[in-house]
Amino acid sequence: DQDVAFCTPDGRLPDGSKGQNHIRAIFGRMGFNDQEMVALSGAHAVGRCHSDRSGFEGPWTFSPTVITNDYYRLLMEEKWGWKSWKGPKQYEDNSSKSLMMLPTDMALVQDGEFKKYVELYAKDNQTFFKDFSDVCVKLFELGVPFKEGTERLRFKNSVEDAEA
């Protein structure tokens, strides 16, 4: 672990306690459209929140070490309610009470333009993975000048790896 000087400055990533307008303000200024913003939110398929870092606590999915469309399926299929605790406002699943969603996650299903992409990704893991890969590369390469003919970063899923 590094000290705070190595952390992303405030304002460069969305505040998890806010809504769709905030998501658009943060990612829109970087040149991302609604579809790309929803695809990029799929990063929440991996990992969890830690209360000592963000104030929020818990994983988004039951398989937080694997990138799948489970994040979108859970947003669409699970019932969510406010978590009763002393931390910041966050949602928990009504079934197991072991998963969480941030207000920014729920904004994806409350906003009609975002929701159509959540629905698409919930139904189609391959489309999600392709779009997620493309937008991650765009984010990673943001502002990086490339010479013509330079090989670019590419994500491969395990099926592609087996076929290669």
Side-chain angles (χ1 to χ4, degrees):
D1 285 337
Q2 300 284 339
D3 69 28
V4 74
F6 290 89
C7 294
T8 304
D10 287 342
R12 288 193 42 205
L13 294 174
D15 178 341
S17 69
K18 300 205 173 164
Q20 60 269 26
N21 292 339
H22 180 68
I23 296 168
R24 286 189 176 103
I26 296 295
F27 288 113
R29 71 179 182 212
M30 292 185 255
F32 294 102
N33 63 35
D34 283 357
Q35 174 267 321
E36 293 169 321
M37 292 176 204
V38 175
L40 199 54
S41 295
H44 287 180
V46 179
R48 61 179 295 123
C49 286
H50 300 273
S51 60
D52 63 329
R53 297 192 177 99
S54 65
F56 301 104
E57 180 62 40
W60 287 272
T61 71
F62 292 110
S63 56
T65 60
V66 182
I67 296 176
T68 68
N69 66 337
D70 287 350
Y71 167 74
Y72 302 103
R73 288 187 326 93
L74 288 162
L75 271 171
M76 294 302 300
E77 298 169 8
E78 183 60 61
K79 301 278 188 241
W80 298 92
W82 289 111
K83 180 175 180 157
S84 178
W85 73 317
K86 294 182 189 219
K89 285 191 150 216
Q90 70 178 59
Y91 293 86
E92 68 181 357
D93 66 305
N94 289 349
S95 301
S96 72
K97 305 232 182 268
S98 64
L99 299 177
M100 61 84 65
M101 291 287 172
L102 301 170
T104 50
D105 298 312
M106 298 308 290
L108 300 180
V109 293
Q110 294 163 348
D111 180 277
E113 287 302 306
F114 283 156
K115 186 176 181 179
K116 65 185 180 185
Y117 299 111
V118 173
E119 290 170 336
L120 171 66
Y121 297 146
K123 292 176 188 166
D124 190 339
N125 191 56
Q126 287 185 313
T127 298
F128 158 62
F129 189 80
K130 183 200 174 302
D131 289 355
F132 178 73
S133 300
D134 292 345
V135 76
C136 273
V137 169
K138 181 177 177 177
L139 178 66
F140 294 164
E141 295 181 348
L142 200 61
V144 177
F146 286 93
K147 292 181 181 167
E148 196 170 317
T150 302
E151 186 174 349
R152 308 295 286 274
L153 181 66
R154 185 169 84 86
F155 285 64
K156 288 171 52 176
N157 66 33
S158 58
V159 174
E160 288 176 320
D161 289 340
E163 293 170 354

